[in-house]
Amino acid sequence: MKKYDRIFAFGCSFTNYHWATWADIIAYSYPEARYYNMGLSGAGNELIYNRVMEADARYNFTKNDLVIVQWSGVMRESRWVNNETKPNGGWTHGGNVMLDRVYFDDKFVEKYVTMEGFHLRDLALVKAVNVLLDLKQPEHYNIAMVGIKYEQNFGDYASPELVKQLKPNYNMIDILMQKYQKTVKEIRPSFYDHILEPKRAIEPWHRPHVCTQREGIVNYDWHPTPYEHFTYLRDILPEVALAPDCDEVAQAEDKYVYDRFTVPADKIVKLRPGRFNLGKCTDMNFVKEYYNVQVKFGSFNPSKLGLLTFNRPEVIY
Amino acid sequence: MYKRFFAFGCSVTDFPWTTWADIVAAAVQCKEYYNFGFGGCSNSLILSRVMEADQLYNFTSEDLVIVQWTSVNRESRYLNDKWYGVGNIYISGKYSDEFIEKYTSTTDFFLKSVVAIKAVQGLLNGKNVANYHISTVPITEQESGFSDLVKLTDPKTVLLAQTFKSILEKIRPSMYEVIYPNGWHNTKPRPLCKIIGKKEPLADTHPTPMESYNYIEHVLPELKLTSEIKSVVQAQTDFILAPGKINTPYQAPYTELLPMDGKVVRIREPIT
C-alpha cells in the first residue's frame, strides 16, 4: 500500500462525527500517517474552503500527503463571530441557513440569502480549493455530502415552502453549473446520491437515532454509519486502498453504533405521527450520554486496541 | 507584450474617472483590457470574480492580471439579481446594528480576506500568469470611520497575519501609504463631487487620475509609463480639480479616455 506522510480530511459532520467516518477509516488504513481531521459539524462550503486554505498556510501540503475534501450543502453560511454565541470567537456552523435557528433567523434569510448567490460563491470556492491542490500536488480528491446543485431533497434540504420564499433563479444556477462544469466534475458522487437516497426509498427505515440535546426529541439519524462510510469509500474512491480488515471492522462498528445509538422503544413517548420524528426520550440521562460518546474506528475490537497508532486528530481552531 | 490585461478590485479600480487600471492598460497596450472593478465590493467578491473570469476567459501565460485588494471590513452579497457591495460595513449605514452585532467580526473579515488573497495568488501562479497585487489600505489595518487606519490587534488576527505572512508580503505598498500620507481627508487637494441626495458637494477620497499615476509609478516600476499617458492624466486631474469645479461623475467615462487601441470591457455583474 502507498504510504502517506499526512492525511488531511475536510468537511462537515460527514467527516467528523460521534462515530467513525470515511476519514477515520482512511486514517485507520494508514496508521503511520499523521492524521488531521478538520471536519466540523454543520460547516458550509465557505468554512471548508477557509480551513483548506488555512491548513495549507500552516502545514504546507506536499506530494506525500493525502488531502480529501468533503463538500457540504450549498445553503450554508459560516462566519467567524465573537459574541454571546461564541464568547471566545469561533465559526458559526449550524447547517442550512433556512433551518439553522441558532445563528440565523427568518429575517436574515429573507433579507440576505439567495440561492443563486450561494451557488455563485460556492462554485468559485470549490474551484479555488482545487486550484490550490493541483498546484501543491498532494494526492487529492473531492467527495460530497450532497450534490453541489441545490435540489428539493431531504437531509440538509429545507421544505419546498421555505425554498419557494427565496424565489430561486434556477436558470442562473443552471448557467453557473454549466460554466463551472470542469470544477463540478471534480466532485465524486455524493453520499446522498450513492448511499442514503436509495435507503430512504425503502421503508420502514432502519437507522440509528439522534436526540436533540435540550428537549430529547428523537429522530432518525441520516448521517452515514461506519459501514456506509466504508461502502462509500470502496465504491466511490477506489484509488485510496483500505486496510484489508476494514470491511470486517466497519461491520462490527456498525453494529456497535446501532446498539449504542438506538433509543429503546420503552424510553420514547410518541408526540405526533411523523415520518422523521420518533417522539421524545423520557430519560434525559440517556440523552446526555449520547453526546459523551465518540466511537473511533477500530476501537470496538479489544485485540486491536493496543495496535492503534492514531495520532489524535488535530483541529485548527 | 501581453495579449490581455485583467484588472480586479473595488471602486478605485473602476471609477468614472481614470484609475490605476486604466493607466496600466494604456501602458501595456494589450489587445484586450478587462476591468472587473466593482464599487464597494469585498475581498471575497474579488476572489469570486477572479475565479469566474478564469472560467470564462481561461487565463494564460500571455496575460497580465493585477488585483487591487480592498479594505477588509466589507460584505458582498448577491441579491435581486445583482451584487450588493456597500464598502466598509461598519460605516456604510446599510447594515443594521443588529446584523453587525450578530454576524460580523473583524476577525471574520480578515480571515476571509487573507484566504481569498492566497486562493487568487495560487490560481495565477499555478497558471503562470504574470500577476501583481496592490491594495487600497494595508490588509492588516482597518478603516475606522473616516479617520486614520487602525491596526487589527486581536490575537486570532495577529496569528493569521503571521500564518499568511508570505502571501501578504506579495502585496505592494498600499495606496493609503503611498498617496495619502496625511490620511484620506487631509491629503489635498480633493475633487468636489455632487452626491445624489446631498445638498452640499463632498470632497471625494478616491484617487485622482494623477494620484493613481503616481501610485503605479511608485509600486509597479516594472510597468513603463509614458510621458503621453502622464500628460493626459494630468489634464484629466486638472479638469476635476479646477477651482470651483463641482464634479458629477455618475457615469463612466467622466474624463477623457486614455489612448488605448485594444478592446475595453468593463464587467460589473456575474457573467451568466
Side-chain angles (χ1 to χ4, degrees):
Chain A
M1 261 166 68
K2 188 177 172 178
K3 284 188 187 258
Y4 301 108
D5 287 348
R6 300 175 297 182
I7 295 166
F8 292 91
F10 299 91
C12 62
S13 57
F14 277 43
T15 295
N16 194 358
Y17 199 55
H18 301 306
W19 57 68
T21 69
W22 62 269
D24 302 312
I25 295 170
I26 291 174
Y28 172 80
S29 301
Y30 297 88
E32 301 295 324
R34 195 162 182 80
Y35 170 42
Y36 300 81
N37 187 325
M38 296 181 191
L40 188 61
S41 165
N45 293 329
E46 190 176 22
L47 195 160
I48 292 166
Y49 139 87
N50 265 274
R51 296 195 121 186
V52 175
M53 292 291 165
E54 197 177 349
D56 180 55
R58 282 190 187 208
Y59 301 110
N60 192 14
F61 298 147
T62 73
K63 288 179 182 176
N64 298 324
D65 295 331
L66 172 66
V67 178
I68 304 183
V69 185
Q70 170 255 307
W71 297 104
S72 183
V74 78
M75 292 305 291
R76 297 180 173 200
E77 176 153 332
S78 302
R79 313 178 69 101
W80 182 279
V81 294
N82 211 326
N83 56 27
E84 75 278 2
T85 60
K86 303 268 177 192
N88 299 318
W91 284 106
T92 62
H93 51 100
N96 189 326
V97 285
M98 288 186 279
L99 307 172
D100 167 17
R101 287 299 164 265
V102 176
Y103 302 115
F104 300 104
D105 53 27
D106 292 343
K107 217 162 73 182
F108 179 91
V109 174
E110 191 187 326
K111 225 172 154 185
Y112 300 113
V113 173
T114 61
M115 196 182 278
E116 52 277 16
F118 278 18
H119 281 81
L120 204 46
R121 176 198 66 187
D122 284 11
L123 287 164
L125 301 183
V126 175
K127 176 180 159 90
V129 163
N130 280 285
V131 162
L132 171 83
L133 298 176
D134 288 344
L135 181 67
K136 304 296 288 278
Q137 297 185 341
E139 186 174 324
H140 62 277
Y141 304 98
N142 293 258
I143 59 175
M145 176 181 85
V146 291
I148 203 92
K149 186 178 169 188
Y150 190 92
E151 283 158 7
Q152 295 300 315
N153 211 309
F154 81 120
D156 197 48
Y157 295 110
S159 70
E161 291 74 32
L162 278 175
V163 173
K164 217 172 160 184
Q165 284 170 25
L166 289 178
K167 300 182 188 130
N169 182 344
Y170 288 115
N171 184 42
M172 179 171 170
I173 293 169
D174 285 340
I175 294 170
L176 286 171
M177 294 296 289
Q178 185 61 30
K179 198 178 3 159
Y180 281 97
Q181 199 183 80
K182 190 169 162 265
T183 298
V184 174
K185 276 186 182 162
E186 293 284 330
I187 306 173
R188 307 279 168 112
S190 73
F191 275 100
Y192 270 93
D193 288 342
H194 187 68
I195 303 278
L196 300 173
E197 278 282 7
K199 291 206 170 178
R200 185 194 173 220
I202 306 163
E203 293 192 57
W205 293 332
H206 178 55
R207 303 294 313 161
H209 298 157
V210 63
C211 297
T212 59
Q213 240 166 322
R214 204 174 289 169
E215 298 91 3
I217 305 295
V218 185
N219 293 303
Y220 291 105
D221 193 332
W222 284 96
H223 287 87
T225 64
Y227 196 72
E228 286 169 337
H229 276 287
F230 166 75
T231 312
Y232 181 81
L233 286 174
R234 185 194 62 199
D235 299 349
I236 300 297
L237 213 56
E239 296 92 332
V240 179
L242 300 177
D245 63 345
C246 270
D247 189 320
E248 176 203 344
V249 175
Q251 282 192 51
E253 200 145 306
D254 226 48
K255 185 179 177 312
Y256 180 82
V257 163
Y258 273 100
D259 289 348
R260 182 65 191 75
F261 292 93
T262 300
V263 183
D266 61 0
K267 288 184 189 290
I268 298 178
V269 180
K270 282 259 180 212
L271 294 175
R272 58 186 180 279
R275 201 168 173 218
F276 290 93
N277 180 251
L278 285 152
K280 189 175 178 341
C281 184
T282 52
D283 182 348
M284 287 311 280
N285 283 330
F286 188 90
V287 173
K288 205 173 158 192
E289 277 302 300
Y290 250 68
Y291 294 92
N292 291 331
V293 176
Q294 282 283 328
V295 185
K296 282 295 155 201
F297 200 73
S299 60
F300 83 96
N301 186 340
S303 70
K304 289 192 178 297
L305 272 179
L307 298 175
L308 285 176
T309 55
F310 268 129
N311 297 306
R312 281 188 66 79
E314 292 191 25
V315 288
I316 290 183
Y317 306 117
Chain B
M1 181 68 179
Y2 302 108
K3 269 195 178 166
R4 302 179 296 182
F5 165 49
F6 294 87
F8 296 89
C10 65
S11 59
V12 303
T13 294
D14 183 25
F15 200 67
W17 58 63
T18 293
T19 69
W20 68 267
D22 303 319
I23 292 164
V24 170
V28 296
Q29 284 295 336
C30 44
K31 285 183 183 149
E32 294 167 28
Y33 158 42
Y34 296 88
N35 188 320
F36 280 83
F38 186 86
C41 77
S42 65
N43 288 325
S44 297
L45 178 52
I46 292 172
L47 157 82
S48 195
R49 287 167 73 78
V50 172
M51 293 295 158
E52 210 183 339
D54 181 51
Q55 282 304 119
L56 196 69
Y57 298 106
N58 191 16
F59 299 146
T60 73
S61 55
E62 294 177 299
D63 295 331
L64 169 67
V65 176
I66 304 183
V67 187
Q68 168 257 311
W69 297 101
T70 190
S71 54
V72 295
N73 292 333
R74 292 179 171 213
E75 170 104 5
S76 302
R77 308 191 79 89
Y78 189 75
L79 301 168
N80 304 319
D81 298 327
K82 61 180 182 190
W83 282 112
Y84 184 64
V86 298
N88 185 332
I89 195 166
Y90 297 117
I91 59 177
S92 71
K94 301 283 184 188
Y95 283 87
S96 66
D97 291 346
E98 187 198 354
F99 181 96
I100 287 170
E101 167 61 24
K102 246 176 128 172
Y103 302 119
T104 72
S105 70
T106 53
T107 313
D108 182 65
F109 291 129
F110 182 75
L111 174 57
K112 287 174 180 169
S113 288
V114 290
V115 161
I117 297 165
K118 177 176 165 61
V120 167
Q121 287 182 3
L123 171 79
L124 300 174
N125 292 335
K127 298 191 88 172
N128 286 320
V129 180
N131 65 99
Y132 300 104
H133 300 264
I134 60 177
S135 69
T136 343
V137 298
I139 301 298
T140 50
E141 297 184 29
Q142 62 168 321
E143 292 166 290
S144 170
F146 287 103
S147 62
D148 288 333
L149 299 187
V150 176
K151 193 106 187 141
L152 293 162
T153 54
D154 77 275
K156 171 76 179 165
T157 305
V158 172
L159 178 68
L160 282 166
Q162 192 55 38
T163 306
F164 287 86
K165 195 170 170 231
S166 63
I167 300 296
L168 296 177
E169 277 173 353
K170 293 198 176 76
I171 304 174
R172 306 284 168 109
S174 71
M175 292 177 183
Y176 186 83
E177 294 160 289
V178 176
I179 56 180
Y180 297 92
N182 303 314
W184 295 124
H185 287 271
N186 292 324
T187 301
K188 303 276 170 54
R190 301 252 48 90
L192 287 175
C193 290
K194 176 92 181 87
I195 306 294
I196 296 169
K198 301 260 182 196
K199 209 171 171 188
E200 296 298 320
L202 293 175
D204 196 296
T205 53
H206 289 88
T208 63
M210 203 58 216
E211 284 170 334
S212 294
Y213 180 94
N214 290 337
Y215 177 68
I216 290 300
E217 191 177 44
H218 183 85
V219 301
L220 287 171
E222 299 91 333
L223 306 173
K224 302 291 174 220
L225 305 182
T226 63
S227 55
E228 187 192 5
I229 295 172
K230 190 173 184 177
S231 63
V232 176
V233 163
Q234 186 60 62
Q236 293 173 340
T237 307
D238 292 344
F239 171 73
I240 61 173
L241 285 176
K245 171 88 179 166
I246 309 293
N247 294 284
T248 52
Y250 304 125
Q251 281 179 337
Y254 179 63
T255 49
E256 179 195 349
L257 287 175
L258 284 172
M260 172 81 200
D261 293 335
K263 178 171 102 174
V264 180
V265 185
R266 291 176 190 271
I267 297 169
R268 293 200 170 81
E269 295 302 336
I271 318 148
T272 49

